[in-house]
Amino acid sequence: MMKQYFSNILRLFILVTLLTGCKKFLNINPPSNLSGNNFWRTKADVEAYTNGNYELLRESITRPDLTAPAGTNEFPYFLFAGDLRGAPVIRNTAWSRDYIDWLKNNDLRAFFADPNGYWQFDIWKMYRFAIWDQFYKVIGSANIAVDRVPSMPDNALDETAKKQYVAEAVFLRNFVYFLMVRQWGDVIYYTKPYQTDPLPRTKMVQVLKNCVADMSAVYQDLPWTYENPVYVAVRAMRGSGLALLMHMNMWLAAFDETNANAYYEQVVKYGKELVEENQGNYELLPLSRTSEIFKGRSKEGLFEIPQNKNYNESFGWGTYYDHTKKPINNFQSSSYPYIFYTKKFMEDIYPQNITDNRKSVWYDAGTMYNANATFYIKKFLISVDENSPDNAAFDASQTVFRYSDAILLYGEALANLGRDAEAIAITGLVRARAGAPLLDGTGQKLKDQIYLERARELMGEGHWWFDLVRTKRILDNPYGYTATLSQFLNGCWTWPINKDAGKNNPYLTLNTYWQ
């Protein structure tokens, strides 16, 4: 399980694109030569390798089943793991999309035992949620870059460039470890290149501490942005590193509660740097420019997974947009949207008596509280693919970290430190963009309001389940699935690990809750 798939990685580098919007790689050295003396000699070598690493990341969360035809990107990682799991949604019974109920009820046993196998194997590749090999390909490849780049010839790369490429590789491995921790809890952790020996899982808190130390040492070697707009937000920037550090510290505060305040202080430090020192490279765009935000590569984006339909890339049906869109061209109109939200939830995040321009810009204000098939969300209605028969595919990046997300984490950390006035002021940046009044209250009331602000601002961006877990609101959730303390401590919030992961690793233990 722990062996690196370096030969496969090298094969992928020949095929990979130079990121979305660029020409595909042309012929470079044969795979057998890429790791030897003929490679790691020029800037072109490390640039190709770095872009290959990003493509590995993209495939790990959009098309991890490489036996599927090229361009078949139906793995709904963020939709299923972040948006639908434990969500206050109602399934549109016009379609037999049972997975929606399995996810919202946290019934992963049913999810993985799909009796007809249609959703499981043919459409969503659900089984991939229990398999982590693609993530370790990204980590292994990043580890090699961290090891090899510093020793490249000085006439190929100066020290500044070397530090940036190393920082990008460090970001990628820590980002992937962060995804894995949120998915499985304890994971196998290593940073050595060409790791082959089997290892046991490392405790989640220690993994995150390692990642924080790793990332904090290099994030300032990343640029605030890129001159080439193709790279903005889809290659790691300093804002990407800061957002990742903030998220990891917030997760640590949740699971290492004795030291929670120290982690909150770190989030405040990084949030202050992000907001006050970004040199105008990041900003909250007006709501009228929503299409730019989610199209991608805007000043609001901190990290995104790109796609471009011109290169046969499509997130297809595996998107939040696909599940919440309105009927288009009367195509199976009774079946859309696939989900809608409960009335209580919508009224709590968007009180009807409080002004908030997101109601009219991101929703149909007249139907958003109906809890039926008249509900739809306009937030991601961008560049719909007219050639798709049901307009399922759209040409936009998958948002991972966004400026407003980081601002709200900053405010949440301040509130947890009892610095309520500052928390109200910083979250007020997001509220002002929405034309909404400042949050009010103190103590727990303010913390609750910031939690709901994250729900309303980030709906559909893969944060719901993870915010529910790390704030422990999963133990008393008024909107749906609620876990007991014993279930939580036993790992009900994780995903199962496929038993085959232990075939070549005698040290591996599985997640007991799902056995």
Side-chain angles (χ1 to χ4, degrees), residues 289-339:
R289 296 170 62 185
T290 290
S291 61
E292 294 177 45
I293 297 171
F294 298 109
K295 176 71 174 177
R297 300 182 174 90
S298 78
K299 281 193 171 185
E300 191 158 335
L302 298 181
F303 190 61
E304 304 164 351
I305 307 298
Q307 71 165 336
N308 188 324
K309 65 183 180 182
N310 294 329
Y311 291 105
N312 201 28
E313 297 170 350
S314 170
F315 297 143
W317 292 338
T319 63
Y320 184 83
Y321 160 72
D322 178 57
H323 280 64
T324 58
K325 65 191 176 189
K326 66 181 292 188
I328 300 174
N329 299 329
N330 294 319
F331 179 83
Q332 297 179 342
S333 59
S334 65
S335 302
Y336 289 100
Y338 300 143
I339 61 170

Side-chain angles (χ1 to χ4, degrees), residues 24 34 73 129 217 220 310 384 402 407 414 421:
K24 294 181 179 292
L34 286 177
N73 298 317
F129 281 101
Q220 290 185 330
N310 294 329
V384 175
R402 174 160 77 87
I407 288 172
L414 286 166

Side-chain angles (χ1 to χ4, degrees), residues 11-12 45 94 121 127 139 143 188 205 245 289 291 293 310 315 379 431 449 475 485 494 514:
R11 175 177 57 81
L12 286 171
D45 290 344
F121 296 99
Y127 53 88
I139 291 167
N143 289 348
I188 297 166
V205 167
L245 283 164
R289 296 170 62 185
S291 61
I293 297 171
N310 294 329
F315 297 143
K379 184 178 179 182
R431 300 284 291 171
Q449 287 194 43
L475 300 175
L485 180 60
T494 66
W514 297 111

Side-chain angles (χ1 to χ4, degrees), residues 271-504:
K272 183 179 177 66
E273 180 178 348
L274 179 66
V275 172
E276 297 183 7
E277 299 179 26
N278 75 57
Q279 302 170 15
N281 287 296
Y282 312 133
E283 64 181 48
L284 296 174
L285 300 186
L287 287 186
S288 60
R289 296 170 62 185
T290 290
S291 61
E292 294 177 45
I293 297 171
F294 298 109
K295 176 71 174 177
R297 300 182 174 90
S298 78
K299 281 193 171 185
E300 191 158 335
L302 298 181
F303 190 61
E304 304 164 351
I305 307 298
Q307 71 165 336
N308 188 324
K309 65 183 180 182
N310 294 329
Y311 291 105
N312 201 28
E313 297 170 350
S314 170
F315 297 143
W317 292 338
T319 63
Y320 184 83
Y321 160 72
D322 178 57
H323 280 64
T324 58
K325 65 191 176 189
K326 66 181 292 188
I328 300 174
N329 299 329
N330 294 319
F331 179 83
Q332 297 179 342
S333 59
S334 65
S335 302
Y336 289 100
Y338 300 143
I339 61 170
F340 29 91
Y341 284 81
T342 65
K343 182 178 178 67
K344 173 178 173 51
F345 177 69
M346 292 304 297
E347 288 183 335
D348 279 3
I349 64 170
Y350 286 110
Q352 296 195 46
N353 63 336
I354 295 180
T355 301
D356 193 317
N357 294 333
R358 287 170 293 196
K359 295 179 187 179
S360 58
V361 177
W362 289 357
Y363 299 86
D364 179 351
T367 63
M368 62 186 293
Y369 302 104
N370 287 0
N372 61 34
T374 62
F375 171 90
Y376 73 97
I377 186 168
K378 299 185 289 185
K379 184 178 179 182
F380 305 101
L381 187 61
I382 315 148
S383 300
V384 175
D385 184 357
E386 297 177 356
N387 296 318
S388 176
D390 60 351
N391 298 103
F394 68 107
D395 189 25
S397 295
Q398 169 66 60
T399 300
V400 179
F401 299 142
R402 174 160 77 87
Y403 193 40
S404 61
D405 161 37
I407 288 172
L408 293 176
L409 284 183
Y410 182 9
E412 183 182 339
L414 286 166
N416 276 289
L417 290 169
R419 296 162 62 176
D420 294 345
E422 294 172 84
I424 290 170
I426 196 65
T427 57
L429 299 176
V430 177
R431 300 284 291 171
R433 191 260 294 271
L438 294 174
L439 300 178
D440 59 13
T442 59
Q444 189 59 48
K445 179 182 177 183
L446 179 59
K447 295 175 190 177
D448 291 342
Q449 287 194 43
I450 294 174
Y451 173 76
L452 293 177
E453 182 67 21
R454 283 186 61 81
R456 71 176 62 96
E457 173 70 18
L458 303 174
M459 183 184 286
E461 299 177 49
H463 294 280
W464 164 260
W465 175 254
F466 302 117
D467 282 357
L468 190 69
V469 169
R470 68 172 179 78
T471 63
K472 304 297 198 312
R473 283 172 171 80
I474 192 175
L475 300 175
D476 185 20
N477 178 20
Y479 304 114
Y481 174 77
T482 300
T484 66
L485 180 60
S486 62
Q487 288 174 326
F488 182 84
L489 294 175
N490 204 28
C492 70
W493 56 272
T494 66
W495 289 80
I497 299 170
N498 190 291
K499 64 181 185 302
D500 290 343
K503 280 185 176 180
N504 298 314

